[in-house]
Amino acid sequence: MSTATVVSIDSEHVPNQRLSILKGAAHDPADRSEDANGIVGTSQVLQDALRQARIVAPTDSTVVINGETGTGKELFAGLIHRLSRRWGGPFIRLNCAAIPEGLLESELFGHERGAFTGAIAQRMGRFEAANHGTLFLDEIGDVPASLQPKLLRVLQEREFERLGSARTLRVDVRVIAATNKNLSELVAERTFRSDLFYRLNVFPITLPPLRDRREDIPGLVRHFVGNAAASMQRPIRTIPCEAMQTLMDHHWPGNVRELQNVIERAVILSEDGILRVPRVEPKPDVEGAHSVGNTLNEMERDYIQKVLDETDWIIGGPSGAARRLGLPRTTLISKMKRLGIGHRPSPRLSGADRASLPVSQGQPEIQRPSCA
């Protein structure tokens, strides 16, 4: 067996493959005037997330940013890099879901000439390019199982080999990962390694969806209108109140990214200096949506509890509830936690029983608000 050669990567070897988000020659990380890095909003939930980002930024800890599509996970990753001690180094991005499985290993770790069909030259991977900087791995939940052990190794040992090479390369890289999936559920379903999850999940940050910070919408609208108007050289002088209200009432399933796209389209349509908001799908009935969601959850919870009752609350084994439901045992346990099924429920009261219960001492009856 041959002994692998260990090679230290110098930052000057990779200047042309670095993707830095920094602008200008000088930057003082202590200057907080532009900490937001393009993140607009004053809502408490957003400020809480920003505070966490600023706390973890000076460290070298691995960060996982959780959030729905379009909530600004890459902006937060850029902010953490910009406020870190690595701000002078590269900030490299990779969307793991956008790369075919067969090419992702090469994208991450690079390859030597002839390593596989089509490898006509040596190629540097993203870890190598991010040396002394930050690597942002978006959609980390889509990394295939075959690559997860190699990713775990480079996170723990800071070393790897290019495809087709026996040389072990060492790197000094801070990893920030992001996902719109529930990694805990993926671990329970055994599609994501638990050791990799724990190695990544050192400092999790959860970004709020736009519907949970509607007070930020007016500021975001003005921000995007200003940017789009300047880019198109089409000045917008007025944003009518009804246009703003339309934007406030929308549910925004695509979050800030969807809002940005709608504003760009609105600026294109606005030829008289007045913002013309295109037709957007009306805001769903949130109460109705929650009601349907709760009903579906209740149906699933009741069915699982029924099967648990029939199996005397035995989860695993050939006669357990997991086998009856056609689920892996770990998946059933994950569903039980999500649905709040923790123990054998007590017998439920009928409607008549509930009606006959007295009001507790010291607890006044709830008064319905008057419409008068």
Side-chain angles (χ1 to χ4, degrees):
M1 180 180 296
S2 61
T3 303
T5 306
V6 178
V7 179
S8 179
I9 302 172
D10 289 330
S11 59
E12 61 266 26
H13 290 172
V14 293
N16 296 328
Q17 298 194 42
R18 289 179 172 174
L19 306 175
S20 175
I21 64 164
L22 300 176
K23 297 179 180 178
H27 172 74
D28 179 4
D31 178 10
R32 303 283 181 176
S33 62
E34 297 183 2
D35 273 5
N37 197 48
I39 302 167
V40 177
T42 58
S43 62
Q44 188 59 53
V45 287
L46 180 65
Q47 292 304 312
D48 287 344
L50 285 169
R51 181 179 58 82
Q52 293 180 61
R54 289 167 182 150
I55 288 173
V56 75
T59 74
D60 271 341
S61 295
T62 306
V63 178
V64 171
I65 305 174
N66 302 284
E68 296 178 8
T69 297
T71 50
K73 297 186 287 293
E74 185 170 335
L75 286 178
F76 265 77
L79 173 64
I80 292 170
H81 170 76
R82 184 169 171 264
L83 297 179
S84 74
R85 293 172 292 185
R86 298 173 179 268
W87 64 267
F91 178 67
I92 305 296
R93 308 166 180 85
L94 179 65
N95 187 322
C96 299
I99 309 297
E101 181 175 343
L103 298 178
L104 185 56
E105 182 174 2
S106 174
E107 285 291 329
L108 287 169
F109 306 116
H111 63 255
E112 297 292 338
R113 179 181 178 181
F116 52 85
T117 303
I120 59 176
Q122 184 190 79
R123 189 175 189 277
M124 182 183 299
R126 303 300 176 99
F127 270 100
E128 204 169 341
N131 194 38
H132 302 305
T134 302
L135 177 59
F136 174 56
L137 297 177
D138 199 4
E139 306 298 349
I140 191 70
D142 289 287
V143 173
S146 59
L147 269 183
Q148 291 177 23
K150 296 182 179 180
L151 186 56
L152 176 64
R153 178 194 173 202
V154 73
L155 288 172
Q156 291 187 157
E157 308 297 334
R158 297 192 174 190
E159 62 182 33
F160 64 94
E161 292 83 36
R162 292 185 190 137
L163 280 173
S165 174
R167 295 191 308 163
T168 298
L169 304 178
R170 295 191 184 278
V171 288
D172 176 19
V173 175
R174 195 233 190 116
V175 170
I176 301 175
T179 182
N180 60 8
K181 297 182 177 180
N182 188 323
L183 292 182
S184 298
E185 289 187 358
L186 297 183
V187 170
E189 294 166 3
R190 297 187 178 180
T191 59
F192 200 86
R193 292 177 61 107
S194 60
D195 48 3
L196 178 57
F197 168 71
Y198 293 125
R199 185 62 187 83
L200 287 168
N201 202 46
V202 176
F203 195 93
I205 298 176
T206 300
L207 303 190
L210 188 54
R211 62 183 173 274
D212 289 348
R213 55 183 190 105
R214 292 186 181 276
E215 62 268 41
D216 290 337
I217 291 178
L220 285 163
V221 170
R222 289 189 290 269
H223 174 76
F224 292 139
V225 166
N227 288 347
S231 173
M232 300 177 196
Q233 297 183 349
R234 179 170 292 183
I236 301 296
R237 299 185 300 274
T238 305
I239 302 177
C241 291
E242 57 269 22
M244 186 67 79
Q245 191 60 52
T246 297
L247 297 170
M248 289 284 290
D249 288 344
H250 188 54
H251 191 56
W252 301 115
N255 294 293
V256 180
R257 183 183 296 119
E258 182 190 1
L259 174 62
Q260 182 179 10
N261 293 338
V262 168
I263 293 301
E264 183 176 344
R265 190 158 71 248
V267 172
I268 294 172
L269 296 171
S270 306
E271 299 179 313
D272 55 0
I274 300 174
L275 189 71
R276 308 291 183 187
V277 176
R279 184 180 181 276
V280 292
E281 292 298 322
K283 171 186 172 183
D285 181 354
V286 176
E287 287 189 3
H290 283 303
S291 175
V292 172
N294 289 339
T295 300
L296 292 173
N297 284 337
E298 287 172 2
M299 290 172 61
E300 186 177 16
R301 180 168 56 248
D302 289 345
Y303 181 64
I304 290 176
Q305 286 181 336
K306 177 176 178 293
V307 174
L308 286 167
D309 287 338
E310 292 173 353
T311 58
D312 199 25
W313 282 69
I314 297 172
I315 296 175
S319 59
R323 178 67 63 87
R324 289 277 299 274
L325 292 166
L327 297 172
R329 177 178 174 276
T330 51
T331 301
L332 175 56
I333 292 173
S334 175
K335 282 180 175 291
M336 290 173 63
K337 289 180 180 178
R338 177 173 60 82
L339 296 170
I341 305 174
H343 50 79
R344 189 191 301 266
S346 302
R348 297 183 178 181
L349 293 172
S350 66
D353 291 334
R354 287 195 297 269
S356 65
L357 288 175
V359 178
S360 300
Q361 290 281 341
Q363 277 192 323
E365 294 185 25
I366 299 174
Q367 300 292 327
R368 296 181 181 274
S370 172
C371 295

